[in-house]
Structure formats: structure tokens, C-alpha cells
Amino acid sequence: MFFPSPNPSTLRLLLMSTPVGPLGSGLGGGVELTLKNIAQALSQRGHQIQIVAPQGSILNDLSDLPLIELIEIDGTLQPTAQNHDRQTPALIPEHAVLGEMWNYARHVQTEFDMLINFAYDWLPFYLSSWFERPVAHLVSMGSLTDVMDGAIAKTLDAFPGTIGVHSRVQAETFAFGDRCRCLGNGFDLSQYQFQSNPDPIVAWVGRIAPEKGLEDAVAAVKQLDTPLHIFGAISDAAYWQDIQDRYPDAPIHYRGFLSTDELQAELGRCRGMIMTPKWVEAFGNVAIEAIACGVPVVAYGRGGPAEIVEHGVTGWLVEPDSVSGLAEAIARLDEIDRHACRHHAEQHYSLEAMGERVEAWLNDILTQHQLRIR
Ligand code: HBI
């Protein structure tokens, strides 16, 4: 239960998580870390935060922040939209946790100044006009389906300025991209320790699923005979099995899905990190996590990573889908200054920088809302 904000500039915010998995499971992919980072950044600026997420969610280090509360909701997890095609309709399973989460929000909304939606699903966008409190939407992926594009576009028409994205290249995948608010992303860089002397290994980090292109990284390290450590939740077991069957003697080591603290310690030991997106990655949180530890990034010049990696400064951008290009770039990792990587993260992707951008976005939405309800 939150009390009316002690001072008007601080907000009471209801953060609605992704319904695809509990926070801390890794099934929600980048949006889990994004939600936690935004919650931390806003609470550090005095705002009161309640996070609504599927049963089994954990906040780890955030739970000791006084202004953050977690509400767990029971229900059926939402199927991922990742493998939908343009015509896939909006899906709602029986006893959907998504519906239960937003039913809870309906009941408590007057205790808050506004809601922030992190789900890439039809329902929260459709419900925006049914709520008396304004809803800000942080869209976590590029354009995937017609039904989602339509829901987001309708929300933008009714509530201009309420759609946030992570990168320009992500925004440009939508017809309405120029009307989206670009927020970048931000991380608690104190959680990432700079390491200057790496071991001769490279890393690949992400949900293990076809759109992440892990097979190309495996093919590249096989060519170089360089050990590849793989971190992330196995989102598509058949895809992972197929890679192991196709490359039985590749020098790969699956390390599981680690907490941020464990991941950054392992990542920092690596000569570099490889990113092989097969789709327009909206951002690429792991690229920031790597450079924050001083680890240069080799990435396909596609999607968010192409906007994050500074070619020749924080890593190398490679022609998309070129395995030989990956191998050449991996061989040149030692030409990158690891200190420059850490410095770049501090300049552009700190929690403070993100907190400022998000707070300004929310205040602009509130101003619009107050003008509308007069
Ligand atoms: N699928 N239906 C659905 N809803 C989400 O919120 C969602 C998803 N797939 C992936 C995903 N979120 C996140 O991994 C990305 O947004 C980062």
C-alpha cells in the first residue's frame, strides 16, 4: 500500500511485467532486466514502484529497495510472440496470467499516478482507453505481427507520446516509428566489474532460440578452434539440440542462465562477446553488459546491436549472416581497448542516464493526460 506521494514531483507507478515468464526465469529475455533497471532507476529518484508479474517472480537485489514492491499473479503464461508470423492473431490461453494481471491493475489503478506496460501483447494496448490512469508502453521488440502493429498504432492515435522504444532501428520497423519515444536502455554499472586481462575464450549470451542465431557463433568458433562459453535460458530445446547434433566437436560450453552478478563475472573473463541476431533485435542488453565489463563485442550489423557497437571502438560490426566475417572479427578482438568499452557504457548507458530519460517521458505523458481530462 502506498501513501499519496509526499512531494508532487514523485510518482506512484504500477509496472506491468511480461506475461511470458516470471521475473528472474530468463524466459522474459531482455525485458526482465529492462524492467528491473527502470524500477531501480526510478526508485532511486524517489518514485514509488509496484511491480506486477507472474507467480514465481523474484527481484533479487531489488527487493531490499524500500520503494519497490512485488505483486505475484497466478495464471497461465503467455506463449511467446517471437515465432508468430504477420497474420498470427492475438492469443489468450485459458486462465491467462495476462488477463489476471490487468484485472488486478484495474482494481488498484487509483492508488497510482500511472501504469507502465512491458508486455508485447495485444491486451494492455487495447485496455489503455479503458483505464482512467494513463498507461505508458515500453515496446520491447520490433514489428512482428499485424495485430500488434494495429494495437500499438491505435494506442498512439488515442494517446500520442505513450509508446516508448529502445532504439531508432527498432522504431523504424514500425510504420509509426517516427512517433515513438526512443529511450535507449540503462544498467546499474556498479554491478559490472571491469576486467583487463581476459582468458582466451569468447562468449555468447541470450535466450537460446532461432532468432538469436547461435549456430553461426558455433560455426565461427569451430573454424577458429576458440572456446565459446554460452550463457542463457534454453528457450527452444529442439533448436539447441539441433546445434549440438550439427556441431558435435565444436569447442562450446553451455553455462546455463546466470544471475547478473554471476554472468558479469564470467563475461568479464572473456576476450570478447559474439552477437548473431537473425532478427531486428530491439536493443541488445547483453552488448552493454559486455562493454561494461570491458569486453568488446563482435556483432552482425543488424538491429539494436548495430546502434550500440561503435565499430573499432567497442568492437566490430560484421556483415549480417557472414560466418567468415565473424571469424575474422573474433581474430581482431585484441585490437580493441577494453577501457574504451567500459568508458562508453558509463557515458551512454548508466542507470542515471536511463532514469532521467524515462522520468522525462512519464512526466510528458502525465502533462498530456492532465490537459486531456480538463
Ligand atoms: N511474447 N507474447 C509475448 N509477450 C511478451 O511480452 C514477450 C514475448 N516474447 C519475448 C519477450 N516478450 C521478450 O523476450 C522481449 O520483449 C525482449
mmCIF file of all heavy atoms in Angstrom, residues 17-20 26-32 78-82 84 118-121 139-141 144 207 212 279 281, ligand 1:
data_model
loop_
_atom_site.group_PDB
_atom_site.id
_atom_site.type_symbol
_atom_site.label_atom_id
_atom_site.label_comp_id
_atom_site.label_asym_id
_atom_site.label_seq_id
_atom_site.Cartn_x
_atom_site.Cartn_y
_atom_site.Cartn_z
ATOM 1 N N SER A 17 4.607 -6.358 -15.806
ATOM 2 C CA SER A 17 5.676 -7.108 -16.453
ATOM 3 C C SER A 17 5.177 -7.924 -17.646
ATOM 4 O O SER A 17 3.993 -7.983 -17.939
ATOM 5 C CB SER A 17 6.342 -8.038 -15.429
ATOM 6 O OG SER A 17 7.461 -8.655 -16.001
ATOM 7 N N THR A 18 6.129 -8.607 -18.316
ATOM 8 C CA THR A 18 5.807 -9.509 -19.423
ATOM 9 C C THR A 18 5.123 -10.760 -18.854
ATOM 10 O O THR A 18 5.488 -11.226 -17.776
ATOM 11 C CB THR A 18 7.067 -9.916 -20.199
ATOM 12 O OG1 THR A 18 6.721 -10.910 -21.157
ATOM 13 C CG2 THR A 18 8.123 -10.510 -19.272
ATOM 14 N N PRO A 19 4.125 -11.292 -19.558
ATOM 15 C CA PRO A 19 3.406 -12.488 -19.085
ATOM 16 C C PRO A 19 4.035 -13.796 -19.564
ATOM 17 O O PRO A 19 3.495 -14.873 -19.330
ATOM 18 C CB PRO A 19 2.025 -12.311 -19.716
ATOM 19 C CG PRO A 19 2.314 -11.639 -21.018
ATOM 20 C CD PRO A 19 3.510 -10.739 -20.782
ATOM 21 N N VAL A 20 5.207 -13.719 -20.250
ATOM 22 C CA VAL A 20 5.760 -14.953 -20.827
ATOM 23 C C VAL A 20 6.529 -15.777 -19.807
ATOM 24 O O VAL A 20 6.815 -16.956 -20.037
ATOM 25 C CB VAL A 20 6.672 -14.688 -22.035
ATOM 26 C CG1 VAL A 20 5.895 -14.130 -23.191
ATOM 27 C CG2 VAL A 20 7.836 -13.788 -21.646
ATOM 28 N N GLY A 26 14.422 -15.773 -16.859
ATOM 29 C CA GLY A 26 15.158 -15.690 -18.135
ATOM 30 C C GLY A 26 14.243 -15.893 -19.329
ATOM 31 O O GLY A 26 14.595 -15.537 -20.461
ATOM 32 N N LEU A 27 13.039 -16.400 -19.098
ATOM 33 C CA LEU A 27 12.114 -16.645 -20.232
ATOM 34 C C LEU A 27 11.620 -15.330 -20.820
ATOM 35 O O LEU A 27 11.257 -15.271 -21.990
ATOM 36 C CB LEU A 27 10.919 -17.494 -19.761
ATOM 37 C CG LEU A 27 11.292 -18.932 -19.371
ATOM 38 C CD1 LEU A 27 10.058 -19.668 -18.859
ATOM 39 C CD2 LEU A 27 11.896 -19.663 -20.563
ATOM 40 N N GLY A 28 11.644 -14.261 -19.983
ATOM 41 C CA GLY A 28 11.182 -12.961 -20.484
ATOM 42 C C GLY A 28 12.270 -12.256 -21.275
ATOM 43 O O GLY A 28 12.082 -11.177 -21.822
ATOM 44 N N GLY A 29 13.448 -12.869 -21.318
ATOM 45 C CA GLY A 29 14.526 -12.273 -22.122
ATOM 46 C C GLY A 29 14.908 -10.893 -21.606
ATOM 47 O O GLY A 29 14.788 -10.604 -20.410
ATOM 48 N N GLY A 30 15.301 -10.016 -22.521
ATOM 49 C CA GLY A 30 15.842 -8.714 -22.153
ATOM 50 C C GLY A 30 14.882 -7.861 -21.346
ATOM 51 O O GLY A 30 15.291 -7.058 -20.515
ATOM 52 N N VAL A 31 13.587 -8.097 -21.537
ATOM 53 C CA VAL A 31 12.639 -7.187 -20.889
ATOM 54 C C VAL A 31 12.644 -7.384 -19.368
ATOM 55 O O VAL A 31 12.325 -6.470 -18.613
ATOM 56 C CB VAL A 31 11.227 -7.376 -21.497
ATOM 57 C CG1 VAL A 31 10.552 -8.629 -20.984
ATOM 58 C CG2 VAL A 31 10.373 -6.142 -21.244
ATOM 59 N N GLU A 32 13.063 -8.562 -18.894
ATOM 60 C CA GLU A 32 13.168 -8.766 -17.432
ATOM 61 C C GLU A 32 14.181 -7.787 -16.851
ATOM 62 O O GLU A 32 13.917 -7.092 -15.872
ATOM 63 C CB GLU A 32 13.642 -10.194 -17.133
ATOM 64 C CG GLU A 32 12.614 -11.279 -17.362
ATOM 65 C CD GLU A 32 13.139 -12.636 -16.903
ATOM 66 O OE1 GLU A 32 13.847 -12.704 -15.877
ATOM 67 O OE2 GLU A 32 12.857 -13.627 -17.590
ATOM 68 N N GLN A 78 1.894 -16.646 -21.013
ATOM 69 C CA GLN A 78 1.557 -16.299 -22.399
ATOM 70 C C GLN A 78 2.536 -16.951 -23.375
ATOM 71 O O GLN A 78 3.742 -16.950 -23.117
ATOM 72 C CB GLN A 78 1.647 -14.770 -22.526
ATOM 73 C CG GLN A 78 1.112 -14.208 -23.818
ATOM 74 C CD GLN A 78 -0.410 -14.235 -23.902
ATOM 75 O OE1 GLN A 78 -1.095 -14.466 -22.899
ATOM 76 N NE2 GLN A 78 -0.926 -14.011 -25.087
ATOM 77 N N PRO A 79 2.064 -17.529 -24.471
ATOM 78 C CA PRO A 79 3.004 -18.051 -25.470
ATOM 79 C C PRO A 79 3.833 -16.892 -26.053
ATOM 80 O O PRO A 79 3.310 -15.797 -26.237
ATOM 81 C CB PRO A 79 2.115 -18.655 -26.554
ATOM 82 C CG PRO A 79 0.711 -18.549 -26.090
ATOM 83 C CD PRO A 79 0.657 -17.712 -24.871
ATOM 84 N N THR A 80 5.119 -17.144 -26.340
ATOM 85 C CA THR A 80 5.953 -16.049 -26.843
ATOM 86 C C THR A 80 5.500 -15.619 -28.237
ATOM 87 O O THR A 80 5.118 -16.438 -29.064
ATOM 88 C CB THR A 80 7.440 -16.468 -26.887
ATOM 89 O OG1 THR A 80 8.181 -15.356 -27.403
ATOM 90 C CG2 THR A 80 7.652 -17.679 -27.787
ATOM 91 N N ALA A 81 5.587 -14.307 -28.474
ATOM 92 C CA ALA A 81 5.165 -13.757 -29.783
ATOM 93 C C ALA A 81 6.283 -13.904 -30.803
ATOM 94 O O ALA A 81 6.099 -13.670 -31.989
ATOM 95 C CB ALA A 81 4.808 -12.283 -29.623
ATOM 96 N N GLN A 82 7.473 -14.310 -30.306
ATOM 97 C CA GLN A 82 8.658 -14.356 -31.165
ATOM 98 C C GLN A 82 8.421 -15.150 -32.444
ATOM 99 O O GLN A 82 8.842 -14.757 -33.502
ATOM 100 C CB GLN A 82 9.795 -15.049 -30.423
ATOM 101 C CG GLN A 82 11.047 -14.245 -30.482
ATOM 102 C CD GLN A 82 11.283 -13.560 -29.159
ATOM 103 O OE1 GLN A 82 10.955 -14.099 -28.146
ATOM 104 N NE2 GLN A 82 11.814 -12.382 -29.204
ATOM 105 N N HIS A 84 5.644 -15.843 -33.930
ATOM 106 C CA HIS A 84 4.387 -15.559 -34.653
ATOM 107 C C HIS A 84 4.731 -15.020 -36.031
ATOM 108 O O HIS A 84 5.774 -14.402 -36.222
ATOM 109 C CB HIS A 84 3.579 -14.506 -33.900
ATOM 110 C CG HIS A 84 2.989 -15.019 -32.620
ATOM 111 N ND1 HIS A 84 2.186 -14.258 -31.804
ATOM 112 C CD2 HIS A 84 3.098 -16.237 -32.016
ATOM 113 C CE1 HIS A 84 1.812 -14.972 -30.756
ATOM 114 N NE2 HIS A 84 2.356 -16.178 -30.859
ATOM 115 N N PHE A 118 5.081 -3.427 -19.886
ATOM 116 C CA PHE A 118 6.288 -4.004 -20.502
ATOM 117 C C PHE A 118 5.936 -5.207 -21.368
ATOM 118 O O PHE A 118 6.842 -5.856 -21.910
ATOM 119 C CB PHE A 118 7.280 -4.439 -19.415
ATOM 120 C CG PHE A 118 7.935 -3.286 -18.696
ATOM 121 C CD1 PHE A 118 7.268 -2.621 -17.672
ATOM 122 C CD2 PHE A 118 9.193 -2.824 -19.068
ATOM 123 C CE1 PHE A 118 7.854 -1.543 -17.013
ATOM 124 C CE2 PHE A 118 9.785 -1.746 -18.421
ATOM 125 C CZ PHE A 118 9.118 -1.107 -17.390
ATOM 126 N N ALA A 119 4.630 -5.530 -21.497
ATOM 127 C CA ALA A 119 4.265 -6.729 -22.253
ATOM 128 C C ALA A 119 4.135 -6.398 -23.735
ATOM 129 O O ALA A 119 3.563 -5.357 -24.095
ATOM 130 C CB ALA A 119 2.941 -7.303 -21.752
ATOM 131 N N TYR A 120 4.634 -7.279 -24.553
ATOM 132 C CA TYR A 120 4.461 -7.144 -26.003
ATOM 133 C C TYR A 120 3.249 -7.999 -26.371
ATOM 134 O O TYR A 120 3.372 -9.083 -26.959
ATOM 135 C CB TYR A 120 5.717 -7.637 -26.734
ATOM 136 C CG TYR A 120 5.786 -7.263 -28.196
ATOM 137 C CD1 TYR A 120 6.484 -6.135 -28.620
ATOM 138 C CD2 TYR A 120 5.166 -8.053 -29.164
ATOM 139 C CE1 TYR A 120 6.565 -5.802 -29.972
ATOM 140 C CE2 TYR A 120 5.233 -7.729 -30.508
ATOM 141 C CZ TYR A 120 5.930 -6.599 -30.904
ATOM 142 O OH TYR A 120 6.021 -6.272 -32.246
ATOM 143 N N ASP A 121 2.070 -7.535 -25.944
ATOM 144 C CA ASP A 121 0.829 -8.298 -26.148
ATOM 145 C C ASP A 121 -0.322 -7.345 -26.456
ATOM 146 O O ASP A 121 -0.304 -6.200 -26.004
ATOM 147 C CB ASP A 121 0.509 -9.130 -24.892
ATOM 148 C CG ASP A 121 1.484 -10.278 -24.728
ATOM 149 O OD1 ASP A 121 1.280 -11.317 -25.398
ATOM 150 O OD2 ASP A 121 2.481 -10.116 -23.995
ATOM 151 N N VAL A 139 7.713 -0.688 -25.603
ATOM 152 C CA VAL A 139 7.671 -1.776 -26.591
ATOM 153 C C VAL A 139 9.066 -2.395 -26.684
ATOM 154 O O VAL A 139 10.047 -1.701 -26.938
ATOM 155 C CB VAL A 139 7.220 -1.207 -27.963
ATOM 156 C CG1 VAL A 139 7.302 -2.280 -29.045
ATOM 157 C CG2 VAL A 139 5.789 -0.670 -27.849
ATOM 158 N N SER A 140 9.140 -3.710 -26.430
ATOM 159 C CA SER A 140 10.452 -4.331 -26.245
ATOM 160 C C SER A 140 10.968 -5.074 -27.475
ATOM 161 O O SER A 140 12.057 -5.626 -27.449
ATOM 162 C CB SER A 140 10.370 -5.331 -25.092
ATOM 163 O OG SER A 140 9.412 -6.320 -25.422
ATOM 164 N N MET A 141 10.172 -5.100 -28.560
ATOM 165 C CA MET A 141 10.641 -5.769 -29.782
ATOM 166 C C MET A 141 10.236 -4.936 -30.997
ATOM 167 O O MET A 141 9.404 -4.039 -30.895
ATOM 168 C CB MET A 141 9.996 -7.170 -29.894
ATOM 169 C CG MET A 141 10.416 -8.115 -28.781
ATOM 170 S SD MET A 141 9.868 -9.811 -29.089
ATOM 171 C CE MET A 141 8.175 -9.721 -28.492
ATOM 172 N N LEU A 144 6.338 -7.347 -35.347
ATOM 173 C CA LEU A 144 6.296 -8.806 -35.532
ATOM 174 C C LEU A 144 5.002 -9.250 -36.219
ATOM 175 O O LEU A 144 5.018 -10.119 -37.083
ATOM 176 C CB LEU A 144 6.377 -9.519 -34.166
ATOM 177 C CG LEU A 144 7.724 -9.716 -33.497
ATOM 178 C CD1 LEU A 144 7.546 -10.464 -32.174
ATOM 179 C CD2 LEU A 144 8.676 -10.464 -34.403
ATOM 180 N N ARG A 207 18.787 -15.684 -24.981
ATOM 181 C CA ARG A 207 17.851 -16.800 -24.990
ATOM 182 C C ARG A 207 18.259 -17.715 -26.152
ATOM 183 O O ARG A 207 18.538 -17.225 -27.253
ATOM 184 C CB ARG A 207 16.424 -16.303 -25.212
ATOM 185 C CG ARG A 207 15.687 -15.902 -23.960
ATOM 186 C CD ARG A 207 14.266 -15.430 -24.264
ATOM 187 N NE ARG A 207 14.238 -14.487 -25.347
ATOM 188 C CZ ARG A 207 13.932 -14.787 -26.603
ATOM 189 N NH1 ARG A 207 13.602 -16.024 -26.910
ATOM 190 N NH2 ARG A 207 13.978 -13.866 -27.549
ATOM 191 N N LYS A 212 18.055 -15.860 -32.459
ATOM 192 C CA LYS A 212 19.301 -15.336 -31.885
ATOM 193 C C LYS A 212 20.537 -15.830 -32.645
ATOM 194 O O LYS A 212 21.649 -15.391 -32.390
ATOM 195 C CB LYS A 212 19.407 -15.731 -30.407
ATOM 196 C CG LYS A 212 18.273 -15.180 -29.551
ATOM 197 C CD LYS A 212 18.480 -13.717 -29.229
ATOM 198 C CE LYS A 212 17.486 -13.237 -28.190
ATOM 199 N NZ LYS A 212 17.681 -11.820 -27.827
ATOM 200 N N TRP A 279 17.184 -11.528 -36.340
ATOM 201 C CA TRP A 279 16.004 -10.662 -36.473
ATOM 202 C C TRP A 279 16.436 -9.264 -36.073
ATOM 203 O O TRP A 279 17.594 -9.042 -35.700
ATOM 204 C CB TRP A 279 14.852 -11.156 -35.602
ATOM 205 C CG TRP A 279 15.125 -11.117 -34.099
ATOM 206 C CD1 TRP A 279 16.328 -11.337 -33.479
ATOM 207 C CD2 TRP A 279 14.186 -10.834 -33.067
ATOM 208 N NE1 TRP A 279 16.182 -11.231 -32.102
ATOM 209 C CE2 TRP A 279 14.895 -10.926 -31.820
ATOM 210 C CE3 TRP A 279 12.822 -10.547 -33.039
ATOM 211 C CZ2 TRP A 279 14.268 -10.727 -30.597
ATOM 212 C CZ3 TRP A 279 12.215 -10.329 -31.813
ATOM 213 C CH2 TRP A 279 12.926 -10.419 -30.606
ATOM 214 N N GLU A 281 16.900 -7.188 -33.535
ATOM 215 C CA GLU A 281 16.949 -7.113 -32.064
ATOM 216 C C GLU A 281 16.622 -5.676 -31.676
ATOM 217 O O GLU A 281 17.220 -4.737 -32.206
ATOM 218 C CB GLU A 281 18.391 -7.454 -31.649
ATOM 219 C CG GLU A 281 18.618 -7.620 -30.183
ATOM 220 C CD GLU A 281 18.333 -9.053 -29.710
ATOM 221 O OE1 GLU A 281 18.644 -10.000 -30.470
ATOM 222 O OE2 GLU A 281 17.796 -9.189 -28.619
HETATM 223 N N1 HBI B 1 5.950 -12.642 -26.208
HETATM 224 N N2 HBI B 1 3.618 -12.670 -26.054
HETATM 225 C C1 HBI B 1 4.805 -12.148 -25.684
HETATM 226 N N3 HBI B 1 4.823 -11.134 -24.785
HETATM 227 C C2 HBI B 1 5.994 -10.557 -24.374
HETATM 228 O O1 HBI B 1 5.972 -9.633 -23.547
HETATM 229 C C3 HBI B 1 7.215 -11.055 -24.895
HETATM 230 C C4 HBI B 1 7.160 -12.111 -25.825
HETATM 231 N N4 HBI B 1 8.289 -12.635 -26.337
HETATM 232 C C5 HBI B 1 9.608 -12.138 -25.978
HETATM 233 C C6 HBI B 1 9.578 -11.050 -25.000
HETATM 234 N N5 HBI B 1 8.435 -10.539 -24.518
HETATM 235 C C7 HBI B 1 10.897 -10.518 -24.528
HETATM 236 O O2 HBI B 1 11.849 -11.568 -24.538
HETATM 237 C C8 HBI B 1 11.377 -9.461 -25.465
HETATM 238 O O3 HBI B 1 10.436 -8.481 -25.392
HETATM 239 C C9 HBI B 1 12.702 -8.904 -25.029
#
